[in-house]
């Protein structure tokens, strides 16, 4: 019984921390897809770049953990704004094929570029001392680092909720997502909205990549490797449903963890099979919305 | 915008002299580089896969990143047939194509109901699962080690397989010609025109009563069969099948080949595959990550400038030259 | 026309060179096929170091024949390896082949090698099944099943009776699991749990959890080096398993990779057949040659070793050569039962073309030059055909 309790807590806590990292990485894509209907398969690249810059600053220049993450998020956000201007703006009215090709191209460029700069193998992160070690929760021990991830994830959730539900910017953003043309008619600068949303989303991805680097290790193939997982979260939450994506991300984290723990032989399959079945059965995601 | 040449779709059924160029090039290669026929056969196999992908993406507008599943199915079918003693090469190819086609026909009606991102994701998911299954069932597929030393009977009892690759070269070129003819037939038919209609506006096609899902499933099946032919030929010319026949990367690079040559231009896929593989082979000292970088840049540039790939550039130049010739009195 | 003239010209130059060269013995060529770029590039790099070090010590001419080495990059793709092998045999007319970093590359190239009758040295590929595919394969490294048997045997000798098998879910992992399980249970141990960890695993915590729950005293591990190995060790350490149990792998934490791990790798043990710290004259010559050519910080690996030792076998074959061309069958016959001194100690080529060699057990310890693999025990002259039987 003790073992069962410990197992259950393990699945819930580890799944929660894993899911929250996925959430932070994926929420940017949820916003982009919902707002601009752009299939940005290169979203993972921002997470990778964010992670690499943060770890590079820590390893190479001895920058402290928090500062390294903050700097990398700012740099990636700026970079994404430039990219939005030059490249993504033209994709808003392009067809699916062009979006797919362009963003796969960006992915390959980033993968190639990261290898050229950092080598083809693992780029390890050394966690700062205050995040190392375990804490005793009574029923079992739990990594301090994962508690930190959970805490940070919740802060991001609360922050986003405050932004979207409590600010004028958030109201305008939600309006633009719901109905772009009417939003424009009533004077909302939709182009500016896109830019800010894209920057926000990419910055969050960078945060996810940097903070999650100890769980999702950094290597040049990162953008393609976690692409499918991020897409799973986006698709199952219905392409734009930001509130749903939190629940879905945690769900995916827990199911994946539980699958690998309980049925390790097939654990890797479970999440993909779930995706295929759900996509075919409920095309608009688990929480289908009626769109105007 | 990527311009897909749909204007001359009905006129395409007429054979033009340019279409003999691939055969001429293949014959020339045979005499100029007789020690490198294995590379040539490999290029033909990749070209078959690229053409099958172009039928889906370029003509029917079905964007899939998991097409390698059908190639891999064909390859493993051919491998397992050889393993269990069925070694007549031509029937092996046909059977393997049938296996791939069956898989497409069974999954198509469900998968093709989706469009856009859900479709991409499901095809990616299926490919990921297929790879894992092949890895897991290593008693059947050989797993990581693969199915080695596959032996096939001489073709028509006459032409033996050897490491010199002569038989493999001619054999896969003949199959490539068959695949091109089949693809051509599809594209030039009224079915092909209907497909382009679906790609451009599926809703409109439904409104005029076209059986969109059925037509999508049909092209999906045909394309899978062609990919299966490619896979079977891979098994026969390499005497080996490994997990990389199912890898998603393969599909992404085939996509790059199609874009390089020109999407939706039938011969674009062939040209793209040839150029891509020849350049990659001769740039052997290039780190594959530099290569990846270059391919990424190529994709971005082609999308950005919408030139329709190499064939597009060639036909633009051709038109411009013709116009200038026509302008002279 | 231009084509024709160029070809005529080339033919004439070739003829002239042949006439000029007649009287000298023909060049003997070695073709090396494997990954020189991409994620496995370290294999090709190390092979080159081993080969060049050997040539620096022994010169490049044997019995009047100059030895020429041709390197071809397969990027670890089996079909490409096969294509390059064919080209080397047909176009370059190599007398020997070497390399084949991953077993599928060797497996795919076997038919061509058999048709060409070319002695082929697998520098470190470890799949048990490869040898049966060609009578021209000579294994320079280890058979992974032998390694697993040695590990199982050592575990029992250490009094560890409850083992957990945690391997990556692919061919080599399954080979290790099967051999370990068979040997261990046949000799009195109990396998308390077994996991085949999917290759795409990112988060190893569930597996560390399962291992902790089973409370073994020995964990037989086989995880690909790099990101997976690092994550696995991290997860095990976080779960407290690293302190309580013997975690024993093979190549997960080579000296060149240790910088990727944090202190959680301390006490990690491994069973392998070579360590650069081994103390014998041949190893000293090997290390000196490497340092002289590649600088004092060069780290020799089992990859470097395989290529180096193969050169010794090639030199011997060429010195025994009668006539102008290498007779593949004669070379293979003369190799069986041949013993030589390798930097790893004495090696004999068995009748199954597998090496009979010493195995060593290493442990990661803090040394004056940082964390390093230190040899803690040697198991001498393990014969794959007879070990433990």
């Amino acid at each position: 019984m003790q073992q069962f309790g410990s197992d259950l807590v393990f699945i819930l806590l580890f799944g929660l921390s894993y899911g929250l990292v996925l959430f932070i990485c994926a929420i940017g894509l949820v916003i982009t897809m919902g707002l601009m209907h752009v299939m940005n398969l290169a979203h993972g690249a921002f997470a990778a770049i964010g992670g690499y810059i943060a770890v590079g600053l820590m390893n190479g220049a001895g920058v402290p953990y928090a500062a390294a993450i903050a700097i990398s998020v700012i740099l990636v956000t700026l970079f994404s704004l430039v990219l939005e201007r030059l490249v993504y703006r033209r994709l808003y009215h392009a067809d699916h094929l062009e979006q797919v090709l362009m963003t796969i191209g960006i992915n390959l460029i980033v993968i190639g570029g990261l290898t050229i700069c950092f080598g083809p193998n693992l780029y390890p992160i050394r966690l700062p001392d205050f995040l190392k070690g375990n804490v005793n929760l009574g029923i079992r021990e739990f990594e301090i680092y994962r508690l930190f991830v959970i805490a940070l994830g919740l802060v991001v959730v609360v922050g986003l909720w405050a932004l979207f539900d409590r600010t004028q910017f958030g109201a305008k953003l939600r309006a633009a997502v719901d109905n772009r043309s009417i939003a424009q008619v009533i004077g909302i600068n939709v182009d500016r909205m896109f830019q800010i949303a894209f920057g926000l989303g990419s910055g969050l991805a960078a945060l996810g990549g940097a903070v999650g680097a100890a769980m999702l290790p950094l290597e040049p193939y990162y953008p393609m490797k976690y692409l499918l997982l991020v897409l799973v979260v986006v698709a199952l939450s219905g392409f734009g449903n930001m509130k749903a994506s939190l629940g879905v991300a945690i769900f995916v984290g827990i199911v994946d963890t539980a699958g690998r723990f309980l049925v390790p032989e097939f654990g890797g399959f479970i999440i993909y099979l779930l995706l295929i079945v759900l996509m075919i059965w409920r095309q608009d995601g688990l929480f289908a919305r009626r769109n105007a | 915008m990527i311009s897909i040449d749909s204007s001359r779709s009905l006129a395409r059924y007429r054979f033009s002299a340019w279409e003999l160029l691939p055969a001429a090039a293949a014959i020339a290669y045979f005499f100029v580089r007789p020690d490198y026929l294995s590379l040539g056969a490999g290029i033909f196999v990749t070209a078959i896969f690229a053409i099958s992908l172009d039928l889906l993406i370029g003509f029917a507008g079905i964007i899939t990143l998991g097409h390698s599943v059908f190639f891999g199915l064909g390859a493993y079918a051919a491998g397992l047939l050889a393993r269990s003693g069925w070694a007549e090469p031509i029937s092996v190819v046909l059977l393997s194509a049938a296996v791939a086609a069956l898989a497409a026909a069974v999954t198509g009606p469900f998968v093709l109901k989706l469009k856009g991102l859900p479709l991409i994701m499901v095809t990616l998911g299926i490919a990921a699962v297929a790879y894992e299954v092949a890895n897991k069932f290593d008693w059947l597929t050989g797993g990581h080690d693969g199915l080695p030393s596959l032996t096939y009977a001489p073709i028509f009892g006459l032409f033996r397989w050897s490491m010199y690759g002569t038989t493999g070269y001619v054999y896969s070129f003949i199959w490539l010609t068959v695949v091109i003819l089949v693809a051509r037939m599809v594209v030039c038919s009224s079915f092909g025109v209907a497909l382009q209609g679906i790609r451009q506006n599926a809703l409109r096609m439904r409104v005029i009563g076209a059986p969109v899902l059925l037509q999508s499933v049909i092209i999906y099946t045909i394309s899978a069969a062609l990919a299966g032919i490619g896979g079977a030929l891979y098994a026969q010319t390499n005497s080996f099948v490994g997990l990389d026949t199912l890898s998603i990367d393969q599909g992404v690079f085939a996509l790059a080949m199609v874009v390089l040559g020109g999407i939706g231009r039938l011969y674009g896929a062939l040209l793209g595959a040839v150029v891509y593989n020849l350049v990659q082979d001769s740039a052997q000292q290039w780190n594959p990550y530099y290569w990846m970088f270059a391919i990424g840049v190529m994709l971005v540039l082609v999308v950005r400038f919408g030139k329709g790939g190499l064939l597009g550039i060639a036909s633009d130049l051709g038109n411009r030259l013709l116009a200038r010739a026509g302008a002279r009195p | 026309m231009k084509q024709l003239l160029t070809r005529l010209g080339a033919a004439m130059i070739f003829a002239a060179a042949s006439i000029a060269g007649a009287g000298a013995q023909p060049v003997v060529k070695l073709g090396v096929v494997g990954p020189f770029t991409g994620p496995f590039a370290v294999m090709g790099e190390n092979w080159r170091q081993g080969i060049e070090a050997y040539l620096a010590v022994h010169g490049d001419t044997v019995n009047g024949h100059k030895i020429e080495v041709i390197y071809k990059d397969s990027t670890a793709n089996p079909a490409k390896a096969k294509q390059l092998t064919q080209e080397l045999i047909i176009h370059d007319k190599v007398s020997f082949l070497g390399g084949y970093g991953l077993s599928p590359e060797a497996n795919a190239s076997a038919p061509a090698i058999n048709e060409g009758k070319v002695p082929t040295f697998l520098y470190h590929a470890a799949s048990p099944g490869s040898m049966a595919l060609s009578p021209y394969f000579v294994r320079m490294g280890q058979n992974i099943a032998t390694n697993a048997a040695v590990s199982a045997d050592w575990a029992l000798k250490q009094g560890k009776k409850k083992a957990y098998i945690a391997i990556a879910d692919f061919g080599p992992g399954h080979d290790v699991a099967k051999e370990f399980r068979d040997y261990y249970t046949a000799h009195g141990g109990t396998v308390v749990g077994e996991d085949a960890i999917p290759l795409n695993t990112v988060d190893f915590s569930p597996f560390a959890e399962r291992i902790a729950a089973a409370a073994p005293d020995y964990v037989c591990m086989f995880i690909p080096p790099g990101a997976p190995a690092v994550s696995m060790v991290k997860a095990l350490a976080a779960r407290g398993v690293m302190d309580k149990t013997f975690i024993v792998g093979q190549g997960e934490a080579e000296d060149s990779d240790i910088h990727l791990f944090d202190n959680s790798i301390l006490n990690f043990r491994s069973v392998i057949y070579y360590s650069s710290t081994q103390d014998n004259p041949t190893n000293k010559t090997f290390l000196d040659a490497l340092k002289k050519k590649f600088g004092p910080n060069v780290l020799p690996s089992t990859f470097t070793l395989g290529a180096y030792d193969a050169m010794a076998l090639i030199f011997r074959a060429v010195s025994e050569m009668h006539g102008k061309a290498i007779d593949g069958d004669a070379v293979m016959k003369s190799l069986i039962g041949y013993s030589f001194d390798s930097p790893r100690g004495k090696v004999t080529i068995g009748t199954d073309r597998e090496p009979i060699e010493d195995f060593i057990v290493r442990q990661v310890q803090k040394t004056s030059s940082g964390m390093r693999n230190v040899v803690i025990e040697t198991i001498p002259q393990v014969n794959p055909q007879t070990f433990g039987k």
Side-chain angles (χ1 to χ4, degrees):
Chain A
M1 200 54 212
Q2 161 79 346
Q3 186 60 38
F4 176 73
S6 175
D7 286 351
L8 188 63
V9 171
F10 163 76
I11 292 175
L12 288 176
L13 284 182
F14 274 74
L16 182 63
S17 56
Y18 184 34
L20 279 171
V21 169
L22 280 182
F23 170 71
I24 301 176
C25 287
I27 183 68
L29 188 56
V30 173
I31 299 173
T32 321
M33 285 242 32
L35 184 56
M36 302 169 267
H37 305 293
V38 168
M39 213 174 308
N40 181 14
L41 297 180
H43 188 75
F46 295 120
I49 297 173
Y52 266 93
I53 293 180
V55 177
L57 286 172
M58 279 172 62
N59 288 353
V63 177
Y65 188 66
I69 295 183
I71 295 175
S72 89
V73 169
I74 293 172
L75 284 178
V76 171
T77 311
L78 290 174
F79 171 65
S80 74
L81 288 173
V82 167
L83 209 60
E84 195 268 345
R85 196 94 237 282
L86 292 178
V87 172
Y88 281 90
R89 202 161 273 203
R90 295 171 211 286
L91 290 180
Y92 296 154
H93 303 290
D95 62 33
H96 285 314
L97 180 59
E98 286 180 20
Q99 293 176 355
V100 167
L101 292 175
M102 179 75 94
T103 52
I104 286 183
I106 294 173
N107 251 351
L108 292 177
I109 292 175
V110 169
I111 293 175
L114 284 175
T115 326
I116 293 169
C117 294
F118 295 98
N121 294 310
L122 176 72
Y123 198 55
I125 181 173
R126 270 170 229 305
L127 284 177
D129 287 332
F130 65 87
L131 283 180
K132 285 195 203 160
N134 292 349
V135 69
N136 197 329
L137 294 177
I139 195 168
R140 58 168 293 123
E141 290 198 349
F142 194 55
E143 290 172 63
I144 296 181
Y145 164 70
R146 284 182 188 264
L147 275 178
F148 167 69
V149 166
I150 293 177
L152 186 70
L154 292 175
V155 166
V156 168
V157 168
V158 168
L160 282 178
W161 172 76
L163 183 67
F164 291 138
D165 274 6
R166 293 263 177 266
T167 64
Q168 212 182 34
F169 166 75
K172 287 189 195 168
L173 190 63
R174 281 182 292 129
V177 172
D178 275 345
N179 198 319
R180 193 189 311 187
S181 23
I182 300 290
Q184 268 176 312
V185 162
I186 63 168
I188 294 178
N189 185 344
V190 173
D191 281 341
R192 179 62 55 80
M193 290 280 112
F194 281 15
Q195 229 182 350
I196 298 178
F198 192 79
L200 177 66
S202 310
L204 282 170
L207 179 66
V211 170
M215 268 200 307
L216 306 181
L218 292 172
E219 42 175 351
Y221 235 64
Y222 191 106
M224 287 295 260
K225 215 170 165 185
Y226 305 119
L227 175 67
L228 196 49
L229 271 179
V230 166
L231 287 181
V232 167
V233 173
V234 171
L236 289 180
S237 53
F239 305 104
N241 190 335
M242 296 175 269
K243 295 203 173 92
S245 62
L246 175 64
V248 169
I250 295 176
F251 173 72
V252 168
I254 292 182
V255 167
D256 199 45
T257 307
R260 289 178 196 276
F261 180 69
L262 297 170
V263 200
E265 290 278 288
F266 300 102
F269 285 89
I270 290 185
I271 201 66
Y272 297 137
L273 285 175
L274 198 62
L275 166 74
I276 294 171
V277 164
L278 282 175
M279 279 278 88
I280 293 177
W281 176 47
R282 300 206 65 179
Q283 266 194 53
D284 297 319
L286 292 171
F287 309 93
R289 281 199 317 178
R290 306 233 170 258
N291 250 326
Chain B
M1 277 298 214
I2 294 187
S3 57
I4 299 185
D5 194 353
S6 54
S7 54
R8 290 163 52 237
S9 51
L10 288 173
R12 251 195 267 258
Y13 68 89
R14 261 182 269 125
F15 278 97
S16 92
W18 290 113
E19 301 191 55
L20 291 174
L21 207 57
I27 294 172
Y29 185 92
F30 184 86
F31 290 105
V32 170
R33 300 189 87 198
D35 293 340
Y36 296 93
L37 294 181
S38 189
L39 172 65
I43 293 181
F44 295 149
V45 168
T46 320
I48 290 176
F49 183 57
I51 291 173
S52 75
L53 186 62
D54 190 28
L55 275 181
L56 277 184
I57 296 191
F59 285 98
I62 298 173
I63 305 177
T64 160
L65 287 180
H67 203 53
S68 49
V69 173
F70 302 116
F71 185 86
L73 267 175
Y76 276 103
L80 290 169
L81 281 169
R83 273 290 164 92
S84 46
W86 187 311
E88 198 290 303
I90 298 179
S91 53
V92 162
V93 173
L94 291 172
L95 275 173
S96 310
V99 167
L102 185 65
V106 162
T107 54
F110 302 100
V111 169
L112 294 172
K113 280 209 199 114
L114 306 167
K115 284 219 72 146
L117 190 60
L119 176 62
I120 294 179
M121 295 192 55
V122 169
T123 54
L124 259 182
I126 292 178
V129 170
Y131 188 94
E132 282 304 315
V133 167
N135 187 22
K136 266 228 129 18
F137 285 62
D138 56 1
W139 49 271
L140 184 68
T141 64
H144 172 82
D145 276 355
L147 295 172
S149 299
L150 305 169
T151 39
Y152 291 91
I155 304 169
F156 300 131
L158 290 173
F159 305 101
R160 281 190 327 108
W161 301 87
S162 85
M163 74 164 167
Y164 288 88
T166 331
T167 315
Y169 184 85
V170 176
Y171 178 68
S172 32
F173 181 70
I174 295 176
W175 275 110
L176 174 64
T177 315
V178 167
V179 166
I180 292 178
L181 288 173
V182 168
R184 216 178 172 288
M185 222 166 43
V186 166
V187 157
C188 302
S189 65
S190 54
F191 176 60
V193 178
L195 288 178
Q196 300 206 48
I198 295 176
R199 188 194 77 235
Q200 285 168 9
N201 195 325
L203 181 59
R204 219 184 282 159
M205 291 300 286
R206 280 197 194 95
V207 163
I208 63 167
V212 170
L213 184 61
L214 175 64
Q215 289 176 326
S216 301
V217 173
I218 291 176
I219 188 61
Y220 195 59
T221 310
I222 295 175
S223 168
L226 296 180
I229 291 177
L233 288 175
Y234 179 98
Q236 294 181 330
T237 52
N238 286 315
S239 305
F240 174 83
V241 179
L243 284 177
D244 53 300
T245 52
L246 285 168
S247 80
I248 295 176
D249 282 357
Q250 196 180 224
V252 171
F253 291 127
L255 186 58
M257 290 177 215
V258 171
V259 170
L260 175 66
I263 305 186
R265 286 172 182 269
L266 190 62
Y267 288 96
L270 173 59
L271 181 62
V274 170
V275 171
Y276 182 101
N277 283 295
L278 281 179
V279 173
Q280 194 185 34
D281 189 71
S282 59
Q284 256 189 29
Q285 67 277 15
W286 275 36
N287 191 317
Y289 292 102
Y290 283 97
W291 180 253
M292 224 184 252
F293 188 90
I295 293 298
V297 169
M298 186 271 294
L299 279 175
V300 170
L301 287 178
V302 169
V303 174
R304 176 76 184 75
F305 295 104
K307 273 272 186 289
L310 291 173
L311 266 193
I313 296 176
S315 86
D316 274 352
L317 273 176
N319 287 340
R320 237 182 277 163
L321 286 173
L322 280 174
R324 229 179 267 166
R328 292 207 195 97
Chain C
M1 189 57 187
K2 199 166 165 196
Q3 185 87 297
L4 184 62
L5 281 176
T6 321
R7 302 199 94 194
L8 264 177
M12 289 199 298
I13 295 174
F14 184 71
S18 308
I19 295 169
Q25 298 282 49
V27 172
V28 172
K29 297 187 196 165
L30 161 69
V32 179
V33 177
F36 287 84
T37 55
F40 300 101
V42 66
M43 293 181 186
E45 262 172 55
N46 285 11
W47 295 341
R48 207 192 282 263
Q49 287 179 337
I51 291 172
E52 288 181 18
Y54 192 90
L55 292 174
V57 174
H58 294 91
D60 65 356
T61 308
V62 186
N63 199 8
H65 297 271
K66 185 165 182 313
I67 309 286
E68 187 186 314
V69 184
I70 306 174
Y71 300 93
K72 293 280 188 184
D73 183 7
S74 68
T75 66
N77 180 331
K80 192 128 194 89
K82 173 194 162 280
Q83 176 212 320
L84 293 168
T85 304
Q86 284 176 311
E87 285 167 18
L88 283 168
I89 298 177
I90 298 169
H91 182 77
D92 298 287
K93 305 202 182 1
V94 296
S95 305
F96 300 97
L97 286 165
Y100 301 96
L102 300 185
S103 299
E105 296 184 77
N107 298 351
S109 308
I113 290 172
N114 292 346
E115 204 177 320
K117 298 190 197 291
V118 180
T120 303
F121 300 92
L122 305 181
Y123 292 158
H124 60 266
S127 168
S130 297
M131 300 307 284
L133 295 174
S134 170
Y136 297 95
F137 282 165
V138 178
R139 201 197 295 279
M140 301 305 300
Q142 64 168 4
N143 181 324
I144 219 171
T146 313
N147 185 306
V150 169
S151 175
D153 189 74
W154 187 72
L156 290 167
K157 291 208 164 74
Q158 301 294 308
K160 306 292 178 190
K161 299 280 199 199
K162 296 187 298 170
Y164 200 103
I165 301 177
I167 49 102
D169 194 2
F170 70 136
H174 296 158
D175 292 329
V176 168
K178 180 173 182 311
E179 186 64 32
F180 186 92
R181 192 192 320 124
D182 289 349
Y183 193 99
Y184 197 69
T185 49
H187 289 77
T190 322
V191 173
V192 297
E194 194 171 327
D195 277 332
I197 303 173
L199 281 173
N200 64 6
T201 303
V202 161
D203 190 1
F204 288 78
S205 328
F207 300 100
E209 192 67 25
R210 286 172 61 87
I211 293 175
D217 49 24
Y218 191 92
V219 175
C220 168
M221 190 167 120
F222 185 79
I223 308 281
V230 171
S231 303
M232 178 67 169
V233 168
K234 230 185 231 186
L236 288 173
R239 194 58 190 78
V241 180
M242 286 297 285
D243 314 317
K244 301 189 198 124
T245 333
F246 272 25
I247 313 280
V248 186
Q250 295 190 23
E252 288 80 359
E254 293 299 309
D255 283 342
S256 45
D257 281 343
I258 286 199
H259 68 277
L260 295 174
F261 297 84
D262 54 21
N263 284 354
S264 56
I265 191 67
L266 275 174
N267 293 328
F268 175 80
R269 293 168 178 82
S270 49
V271 175
I272 198 78
Y273 55 95
Y274 175 69
S275 164
S276 60
T277 58
Q278 283 179 269
D279 192 8
N280 64 62
T282 326
N283 197 21
K284 189 163 184 323
T285 316
F286 177 50
L287 291 172
D288 285 343
L290 281 173
K291 287 196 166 64
K292 195 157 161 214
K293 221 166 154 51
F294 300 105
N297 294 326
V298 69
L299 282 166
S301 63
T302 50
F303 309 145
T304 328
L305 177 72
Y308 186 86
D309 280 345
M311 287 312 284
L313 297 177
I314 289 173
F315 267 47
R316 172 176 174 261
V318 176
S319 68
E320 290 181 344
M321 206 166 133
H322 312 296
K324 296 276 180 201
I326 290 281
D327 178 351
D329 294 319
V331 169
M332 294 313 296
K333 214 155 162 221
S334 109
L335 277 173
I336 307 276
Y338 176 62
S339 294
F340 62 102
D341 285 321
S342 155
R344 65 187 113 162
K346 175 163 165 241
V347 177
T348 310
I349 308 289
T351 52
D352 53 355
R353 293 165 281 116
E354 302 259 17
I356 299 170
E357 57 191 339
D358 294 347
F359 273 81
I360 54 177
V361 183
R362 311 176 294 182
Q363 186 182 19
V364 176
Q365 293 175 357
K366 269 207 169 78
T367 68
S368 51
S369 34
M371 288 195 288
R372 285 276 183 272
N373 283 290
V374 175
V375 178
I376 58 175
E377 194 168 322
T378 307
I379 297 121
Q381 297 297 292
V382 173
N383 185 335
Q385 293 179 356
T386 61
F387 184 75
K389 299 200 169 70

